[in-house]
């Protein structure tokens, strides 16, 4: 493929620091499905069968019990910056040979990556590698000569020559390690290549793919979700601000049931499409964040890191799900692997301000249901279409008015080869707001996470008995999409289904997950009080 994600590196994000202190795990709602759970058992059975056939699931838990002084933490952080703990399988030769295309892509994405530095470092590395290989060859020649019968003077001369070559080789190998690490740091800033059909420019240049429904008409003065939530006693931002700070919130009463209902409904619907359900760790190693394409050392980060450790809070379940098969070679027979994951998400929302982000629309902590697919390279385009269709079906069944957009180049995250956003009409806010996105990342993430598969090979007539006919491994393609971002979905439901008497109609598909509740009414609350 001309536009291959294997060439490229991470986004320019940097982790902010939060102090590490004892805390308890946040309460997670039961994922017991409230309608026809027996219909979902076959999917779980299929998942267990996959485990039986040899998939690796390297879940790792680690407790940090040693206190770290500020100076030690800074020293360790500096060491991490100078010497990466992992290396991406980036195709530097492809970058050099396609310099013009990569430069154009960097410009189209408004990336800060410096391609000239990357190519210069790569050429220096290649030159140094040749010199290392030359010295190794000379050392081997000396070692072979030492095996024969030699005059004492000749042996001493060879010993001196061997020592000289060894010392020179040690110095060159150290230089090579440092140069390789620097090359990795620079190259990981280069974004993925871009699908040729992606519009070039900023968010305003994004192309409309589909418009679903029409905006609801109201014969009364509408309210936004903040006012509705306050009148119906569903939201409390003031108390949360005192407890946690701005952009935090309490859900109360029926809003809690609504979050549980949205979560269970989204998971059950996606499972019926053949996805395996997961709950994920919500703290991950910084290196896993980087391998998924989000560098925690950039300036406009969305990532919280835990000071004094190598761990971060996740901003999306895409990160821990991407890591579940890290450093694995998957059998061809198990692909595609489809997951639907529930997690809490944490984002700094650096730079986010203004009335357009008020209320639940942009917050620091929220619940989300995320879809994730690992597949063969030739199948990723079709699975992107499948993810978009699932999203559109979910939001259509809720009765929302929304549009699907093919996002422009400057709005693509570093890992995305192509991305489609869904924006729903939010009448109280008076605008469309993003509620979901779906991205095809090709092998950008798998080259960093080390996730390969071994394609099935045709039987060979010349193959010796007992020998496996194994082809070379390839990197899988990864895709991700949002099934339900709970706070923004609550914004949509409260604002779109408000009634003149202040009540909120519950969409029919959610009612079985809310114990049959059809409406959130103000008069019932007043009667209770």
């Amino acid at each position: 493929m001309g536009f291959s994600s294997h060439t490229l590196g991470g986004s320019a994000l940097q982790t902010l620091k939060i102090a590490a202190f004892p805390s308890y795990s946040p309460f997670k709602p039961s994922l017991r499905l409230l309608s026809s759970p027996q219909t979902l058992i076959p999917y779980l059975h299929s998942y267990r069968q996959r485990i039986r056939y040899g998939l690796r699931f390297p879940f790792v838990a680690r407790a940090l019990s040693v206190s770290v002084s500020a100076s030690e933490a800074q020293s360790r952080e500096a060491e991490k910056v100078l010497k990466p703990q992992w290396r991406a399988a980036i195709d530097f030769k492809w970058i050099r040979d396609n310099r013009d295309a990569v430069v154009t892509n960097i410009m189209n994405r408004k990336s800060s990556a410096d391609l000239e530095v990357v190519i210069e470092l790569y050429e220096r590395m290649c030159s140094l590698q040749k010199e290392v290989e030359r010295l190794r060859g000379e050392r081997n020649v000396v070692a072979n000569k030492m095996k024969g019968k030699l005059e004492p003077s000749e042996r001493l001369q060879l010993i001196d020559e061997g020592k000289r070559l060894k010392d020179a080789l040690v110095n060159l190998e150290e230089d090579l390690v440092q140069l390789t690490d620097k090359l990795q740091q620079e190259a990981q800033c280069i974004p993925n290549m871009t699908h040729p059909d992606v519009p070039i420019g900023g968010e305003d240049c994004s192309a409309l793919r589909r418009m679903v429904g029409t905006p609801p008409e109201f014969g009364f003065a509408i309210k936004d979700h903040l006012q509705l939530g306050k009148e119906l006693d569903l939201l409390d931002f003031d108390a949360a601000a005192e407890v946690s700070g701005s952009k935090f919130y309490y859900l109360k009463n029926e809003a809690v049931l609504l979050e549980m209902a949205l979560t269970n409904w989204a998971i059950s619907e996606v499972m019926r499409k053949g996805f395996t359900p997961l709950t994920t760790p919500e703290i991950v190693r910084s290196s896993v964040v980087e391998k998924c394409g989000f560098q925690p050392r950039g300036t406009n980060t969305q990532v919280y890191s835990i000071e004094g450790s190598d761990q971060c809070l996740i901003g999306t379940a895409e990160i821990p799900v991407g890591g579940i098969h890290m450093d694995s070679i998957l059998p061809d027979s198990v692909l595609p692997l489809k997951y639907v994951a529930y997690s809490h998400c944490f984002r700094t929302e650096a730079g986010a301000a203004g009335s357009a982000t008020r209320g639940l629309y942009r917050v620091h902590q929220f619940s989300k249901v995320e879809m994730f697919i690992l597949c063969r390279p030739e199948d990723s385009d079709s699975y992107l279409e499948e993810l978009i269709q699932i999203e559109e079906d979910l939001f259509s069944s809720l009765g929302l008015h929304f549009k699907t957009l093919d996002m422009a180049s400057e709005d693509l995250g570093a890992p995305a080869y192509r991305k489609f956003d869904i924006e729903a009409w939010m009448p109280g806010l008076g605008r469309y707001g993003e509620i979901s996105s779906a991205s095809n990342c090709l092998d950008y993430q798998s080259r960093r996470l080390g996730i390969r598969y071994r394609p099935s090979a045709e039987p060979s007539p010349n193959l010796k008995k007992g020998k496996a006919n194994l082809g070379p491994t390839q990197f899988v393609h990864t895709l991700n999409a949002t099934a339900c971002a709970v706070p923004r979905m609550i914004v949509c439901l409260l604002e779109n289904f408000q009634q003149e008497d202040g009540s909120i109609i519950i969409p029919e598909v959610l009612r079985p997950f809310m114990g049959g509740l059809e409406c959130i009414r103000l008069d019932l609350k007043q009667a209770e009080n």
Side-chain angles (χ1 to χ4, degrees):
M1 179 180 294
F3 292 83
S4 174
S5 65
H6 66 246
T7 61
L8 306 172
S11 63
L13 298 179
Q14 178 177 6
T15 308
L16 297 180
K17 297 296 183 181
I18 60 174
F21 54 89
S23 65
Y24 60 89
S25 298
F27 169 75
K28 292 184 178 180
S30 168
L31 294 182
R32 179 177 62 85
L33 303 175
L34 301 179
S35 66
S36 303
Q38 67 274 13
T39 63
L40 303 175
I41 297 303
Y43 298 117
L44 291 174
H45 175 70
S46 172
Y47 174 64
R48 295 188 181 102
Q49 288 295 101
R50 290 177 178 181
I51 296 177
R52 183 176 300 172
Y53 287 121
L55 286 179
R56 286 186 57 199
F57 293 87
F59 293 107
V60 178
R62 186 178 66 139
L64 298 178
S65 57
V66 181
S67 61
V68 181
S69 69
S71 60
E72 289 173 331
Q74 291 174 357
S75 175
R76 292 183 186 181
E77 187 67 24
E79 184 178 351
K80 290 179 195 174
V81 172
L82 294 174
K83 194 169 184 179
Q85 301 300 308
W86 62 277
R87 291 178 182 173
I90 299 173
D91 191 339
F92 297 107
K93 184 177 182 299
W94 191 97
I95 292 178
R96 184 189 63 188
D97 294 346
N98 295 272
R99 180 196 301 249
D100 292 344
V102 177
V103 166
T104 299
N105 184 63
I106 289 172
M107 293 174 58
N108 288 342
R109 287 177 175 247
K110 287 289 190 286
S111 170
S112 61
D114 192 332
L115 180 62
E116 295 307 313
V117 170
V118 172
I119 293 177
E120 179 187 352
L121 290 171
Y122 173 62
E123 290 176 345
R124 286 170 54 191
M125 184 189 72
C126 290
S127 177
L128 194 56
Q129 281 178 332
K130 290 179 181 179
E131 182 64 14
V132 167
E133 290 168 2
R134 184 186 68 79
L135 289 182
R136 285 173 179 169
E138 291 184 11
R139 190 178 64 172
N140 289 338
V141 170
V142 170
N144 289 332
K145 288 181 178 180
M146 292 284 290
K147 295 177 182 178
K149 292 183 179 180
L150 301 170
E151 294 293 330
S153 60
E154 187 178 0
R155 183 174 294 277
L156 286 174
Q157 185 178 359
L158 288 175
I159 290 173
D160 289 341
E161 178 67 8
K163 185 175 184 299
R164 183 189 68 80
L165 290 172
K166 179 182 177 181
D167 292 343
L169 193 57
V170 167
N171 291 332
L172 284 181
E173 287 175 338
E174 289 179 354
D175 291 343
L176 183 60
V177 168
Q178 294 180 9
L179 187 59
T180 302
D181 287 342
K182 189 172 182 180
L183 173 60
Q184 278 282 323
Q185 291 169 24
E186 293 292 338
Q188 287 168 21
C189 294
I190 300 177
N192 199 350
M193 296 303 286
T194 305
H195 191 286
D197 293 340
V198 167
I200 304 302
E203 185 177 357
D204 294 342
C205 298
S206 300
L208 179 65
R209 169 190 168 105
R210 186 184 179 195
M211 183 76 76
V212 176
T214 57
E217 296 182 1
F218 300 93
F220 55 89
I222 60 174
K223 305 171 184 176
D224 66 16
H225 69 282
L226 284 167
Q227 186 175 355
L228 291 164
K230 183 175 182 180
E231 292 176 354
L232 293 170
D233 197 22
L234 301 175
L235 309 173
D236 193 334
F237 284 89
D238 294 337
E242 292 294 326
V243 172
S244 302
S246 63
K247 294 188 181 295
F248 287 93
Y249 59 96
Y250 286 98
L251 295 182
K252 301 171 65 178
N253 300 312
E254 291 90 344
V256 177
L257 301 181
L258 190 56
E259 170 163 339
M260 305 292 185
L262 285 165
T263 300
N264 285 333
W265 163 75
I267 291 175
S268 67
E269 289 299 311
V270 177
M271 283 181 67
R272 290 189 176 94
K273 305 294 184 180
F275 286 68
T276 297
L278 293 175
T279 58
T280 73
E282 293 170 357
I283 294 177
V284 298
R285 300 185 188 280
S286 302
S287 60
V288 179
V289 178
E290 294 173 346
K291 290 175 183 181
C292 287
F294 311 102
Q295 291 192 356
R297 290 184 292 273
T299 53
N300 293 318
T301 185
Q302 297 298 322
V303 181
Y304 284 109
S305 70
I306 301 174
E307 189 171 7
S309 80
D310 67 342
Q311 296 170 311
C312 299
L313 304 182
I314 66 170
T316 170
E318 170 191 347
I319 295 169
V321 178
I324 196 172
H325 295 293
M326 190 166 56
D327 301 322
S328 296
I329 298 177
L330 305 172
D332 184 57
S333 58
V334 306
L335 296 178
L337 287 171
K338 301 179 178 182
Y339 294 108
V340 54
Y342 169 80
S343 73
H344 292 101
C345 304
F346 306 86
R347 301 186 183 182
T348 67
E349 299 298 355
S355 60
T357 66
R358 69 183 186 273
L360 289 174
Y361 187 80
R362 198 176 295 279
V363 290
H364 289 310
Q365 176 183 337
F366 58 95
S367 301
K368 183 159 70 80
V369 178
E370 183 80 0
M371 297 179 284
F372 195 90
I373 295 178
L374 302 95
C375 68
R376 301 174 190 86
E378 63 269 21
D379 297 332
S380 62
D381 284 342
S382 63
Y383 284 121
L384 179 60
E385 292 296 324
E386 178 180 325
L387 289 172
I388 296 169
Q389 189 62 57
I390 291 173
E391 291 176 326
E392 291 179 341
D393 289 345
L394 288 172
F395 306 138
S396 294
S397 69
L398 289 174
L400 298 178
H401 165 52
F402 61 86
K403 57 184 178 180
T404 305
L405 300 171
D406 189 353
M407 300 309 293
S409 58
E410 292 178 24
D411 196 64
L412 300 179
Y417 174 63
R418 195 175 195 182
K419 180 167 75 85
F420 290 86
D421 281 3
I422 293 182
E423 296 184 354
W425 178 246
M426 300 177 178
L429 296 180
R431 62 181 179 86
Y432 290 93
E434 179 191 341
I435 59 171
S436 178
S437 67
S439 299
N440 184 359
C441 298
L442 301 187
D443 61 359
Y444 177 98
Q445 293 176 323
S446 63
R447 281 182 170 268
R448 289 148 181 78
L449 291 163
I451 309 174
R452 304 169 184 258
Y453 79 104
R454 194 178 297 281
S456 300
E458 294 295 328
S460 173
N462 299 322
L463 196 65
K464 292 183 179 180
K465 185 177 181 180
K467 296 288 185 179
N469 188 25
L470 300 177
T473 61
Q474 297 181 29
F475 289 100
V476 300
H477 280 193
T478 62
L479 304 96
N480 62 84
T482 306
C484 181
V486 171
R488 292 190 182 180
M489 198 58 60
I490 290 178
V491 172
C492 288
L493 298 182
L494 295 185
E495 294 189 358
N496 280 282
F497 300 117
Q498 60 181 296
Q499 305 298 303
E500 188 171 7
D501 63 358
S503 63
I504 309 293
I505 299 295
I506 304 299
E508 189 171 348
V509 294
L510 295 180
R511 293 173 189 174
F513 298 90
M514 295 190 67
L517 184 66
E518 298 180 1
C519 184
I520 303 174
R521 294 185 179 278
L522 181 62
D523 55 350
L524 292 179
K525 293 180 179 292
Q526 292 173 338
E528 291 172 359
N529 294 333

